[in-house]
């Protein structure tokens, strides 16, 4: 197929680019090379066009003869302050809307959209009797006093259980709000055009070529950057927060599968390893493999973080035949000494 790949020079996009070419597809690659992600003087790699997805004229040229769009371009991260909101809305939401309109004009009817676990907000929980429970967001008072777990009416901590794609969308951050909006635009586009959308809800992605530590980085990059600097990784809360970490090579394979197998009008899929791991264990695994200082559990917290979120990857297995090949224990050990991007964040993202 002829594939338009946006965000092709990014961490995830570059891996998808290689995987799609290896699968025999023709890839039209584009990236705006945002300074916040690539540095202020970065040029697009050979074979990648410098294009802003908010530019309808440039998209019209790229979409000529394209069978499917793989949309990875986005401003990422939880957001540092409310001042980041225009950047998320502009690049993620306006950019997606402009792209969808251009796809309609080009009569391209298949989209693979990079979404995220953050659309769920809090994870899924059960109380001490195994009854589903929906906790309210944690309060600063509780967090300040080291009470990190959600608790049921009996005062006992709620236990996490895997979340599936039918869970309600409850964004807790600026980035999450933008990813929910992207999904909603895609749903409306599919209804208006008869197109198909597969929204891949990535869980915690890590792997070679991940950007170094910035205020917008994922926790694996933050831990790894600390080790490289000769410092101990600093683990927030009590370190028992449960997550699902998935290797970027698996993310790339999931995208290729979604490109090759259109599903329904709108199909969201968790893309996860299926092997939960605690944040403290992520830091400890990286430290052992790197040979660096052991993690320090600080008891600090970051406002807006959720306690536990673990995915069920079952629907992706049934729908796409996708099963992650890299376990977190092996993948994180490899990541401990894998190359990181030497040029990354250059301050907060801008929206103009």
């Amino acid at each position: 197929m002829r594939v338009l790949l946006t965000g092709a020079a990014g961490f995830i996009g570059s891996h998808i680019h290689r995987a799609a070419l290896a699968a025999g597809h023709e890839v039209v690659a584009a990236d705006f090379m945002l300074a916040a992600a690539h540095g202020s003087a970065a040029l697009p790699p050979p074979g990648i066009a410098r294009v802003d997805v908010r530019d309808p004229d440039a998209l019209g040229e790229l979409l000529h003869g394209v069978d499917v769009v793989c949309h990875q371009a986005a401003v990422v991260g939880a957001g540092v302050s409310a001042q980041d909101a225009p950047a998320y809305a502009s690049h993620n939401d306006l950019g997606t809307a402009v792209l969808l309109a251009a796809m309609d004009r080009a009569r391209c009817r298949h989209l693979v959209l990079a979404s995220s676990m953050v659309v769920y907000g809090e994870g899924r929980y059960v109380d001490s009797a195994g009854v589903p429970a929906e906790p309210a967001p944690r309060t600063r008072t509780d967090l300040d006093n080291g009470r990190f777990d959600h608790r049921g009416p009996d005062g006992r901590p709620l236990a996490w259980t895997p979340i599936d794609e039918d869970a309600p969308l409850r964004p807790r951050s600026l980035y999450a709000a933008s990813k929910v909006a992207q999904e909603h635009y895609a749903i409306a586009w599919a209804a208006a055009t008869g197109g198909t959308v597969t929204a891949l809800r990535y869980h915690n992605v890590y792997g070679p070529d991940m950007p170094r530590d910035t205020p917008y980085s994922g926790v694996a990059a933050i831990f790894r950057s600390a080790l490289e600097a000769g410092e101990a990784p600093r683990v927030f809360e009590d370190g028992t927060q449960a997550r699902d970490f998935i290797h970027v090579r698996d993310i790339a394979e999931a995208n290729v599968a979604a490109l090759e197998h259109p599903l329904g009008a709108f199909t969201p899929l968790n893309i996860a390893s299926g092997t939960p791991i605690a944040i403290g264990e992520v830091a400890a695994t990286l430290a052992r493999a790197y040979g660096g200082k052991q993690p320090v559990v600080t008891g600090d917290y970051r406002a807006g973080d959720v306690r536990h979120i673990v995915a069920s990857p079952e629907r992706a297995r049934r729908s796409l035949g996708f099963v992650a090949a890299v376990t977190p224990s092996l993948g994180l050990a490899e990541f401990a000494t894998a190359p990181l991007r030497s040029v990354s964040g250059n301050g907060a993202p801008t929206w103009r």
Side-chain angles (χ1 to χ4, degrees), residues 213-248:
D213 180 12
T214 80
Y216 300 87
S217 294
V219 69
I222 293 172
F223 291 159
R224 169 62 201 283
S225 296
L227 290 165
E228 198 169 56
E231 301 170 358
R234 293 175 55 82
V235 179
F236 282 6
E237 301 187 19
D238 60 4
T240 66
Q241 310 93 295
R243 295 290 189 274
D244 190 299
F245 278 73
I246 179 161
H247 198 279
V248 69

Side-chain angles (χ1 to χ4, degrees), residues 72-271:
Q72 306 294 315
V75 172
V76 300
V80 173
S81 77
Q83 298 307 307
D84 293 328
Y88 287 113
S90 180
H91 292 285
N92 298 2
D93 303 334
L94 175 61
T96 298
V98 172
L99 174 62
L100 292 170
M103 289 177 65
D104 178 49
R105 293 191 298 275
R107 303 203 177 282
C108 178
R109 295 291 185 256
H110 181 30
L111 173 69
V112 175
L113 174 67
S115 188
S116 171
M117 67 173 190
V118 297
V119 299
Y120 298 122
E122 300 290 346
R124 179 168 283 169
Y125 297 86
V126 294
D127 65 17
S128 56
V131 176
E134 294 188 7
R138 298 178 295 172
T139 67
R140 285 186 179 271
T141 299
D142 281 343
L143 294 170
D144 286 339
N145 287 282
R147 294 189 292 268
F148 302 121
D149 280 311
H150 297 288
R151 296 184 179 272
D154 59 2
R156 299 173 66 180
L158 300 179
W160 63 263
T161 188
I163 197 164
D164 63 29
E165 294 85 351
D166 296 327
L169 307 185
R170 294 173 175 162
R172 301 274 197 230
S173 69
L174 298 171
Y175 174 59
S178 76
K179 300 309 282 187
V180 170
Q182 281 186 307
E183 288 198 10
H184 286 171
Y185 275 112
I187 291 169
W189 172 84
T193 64
T196 62
V197 179
T198 304
L200 303 181
R201 293 175 178 167
Y202 304 156
H203 285 250
N204 294 72
V205 187
Y206 69 97
D209 203 32
M210 196 175 188
R212 295 180 188 277
D213 180 12
T214 80
Y216 300 87
S217 294
V219 69
I222 293 172
F223 291 159
R224 169 62 201 283
S225 296
L227 290 165
E228 198 169 56
E231 301 170 358
R234 293 175 55 82
V235 179
F236 282 6
E237 301 187 19
D238 60 4
T240 66
Q241 310 93 295
R243 295 290 189 274
D244 190 299
F245 278 73
I246 179 161
H247 198 279
V248 69
R249 290 196 298 268
D250 284 324
I251 290 285
E253 291 304 318
N255 273 273
V256 172
L259 291 170
E260 296 174 346
H261 301 95
L263 301 173
F266 180 81
T267 306
L269 298 174
N270 286 326
I271 303 301

